[in-house]
Amino acid sequence: MFCVSNLCRLCLRSGLAFVDINNEDEDGILLIDKLKICLPEMTPKKTEYVSFICMECCNELKQSYAFVKKCTSSENLLLGYIKKECIRVK
């Protein structure tokens, strides 16, 4: 019998070690919140039936989240530099 609760929420593979997306990651941020930032079109809810992801997808999510945070931080720094440069030129 096919049971969706035994599937990874992201890649749909079964029979693997899973992590609940409602759990905190090592950095104290919920995996579900990282998922919302990296894949806003998915917007999973805490009450969804399938709330587990496999370890491979969990690791990829962590990498994606770190990349998004790095890019966001860089963008903010760049905008700050541009703002200072524009003020200095005037």
Side-chain angles (χ1 to χ4, degrees), residues 2-90:
F2 186 75
C3 184
V4 295
S5 63
N6 295 331
L7 297 175
C8 172
R9 174 74 172 81
L10 302 177
C11 70
L12 301 180
R13 289 185 292 171
S14 63
L16 304 169
F18 292 110
V19 169
D20 190 332
I21 61 173
N22 298 304
N23 289 343
E24 284 186 357
D25 201 4
E26 297 91 10
D27 58 7
I29 299 170
L30 293 174
L31 291 171
I32 193 170
D33 291 336
K34 289 183 177 189
L35 199 54
K36 288 176 184 177
I37 288 170
C38 294
L39 295 166
E41 60 277 0
M42 285 185 69
T43 60
K45 298 175 183 70
K46 287 188 177 186
T47 57
E48 276 195 41
Y49 189 64
V50 181
S51 65
F52 295 97
I53 59 174
C54 68
M55 292 306 296
E56 184 177 334
C57 286
C58 185
N59 290 332
E60 289 180 26
L61 174 61
K62 290 176 186 183
Q63 289 176 334
S64 296
Y65 179 79
F67 181 71
V68 167
K69 290 314 239 178
K70 178 176 77 172
C71 292
T72 303
S73 177
S74 295
E75 179 73 5
N76 290 335
L77 280 172
L78 180 61
L79 291 174
Y81 293 150
I82 291 170
K83 197 176 202 179
K84 286 179 185 177
E85 195 64 30
C86 288
I87 291 171
R88 197 174 15 203
V89 171
K90 291 181 180 180

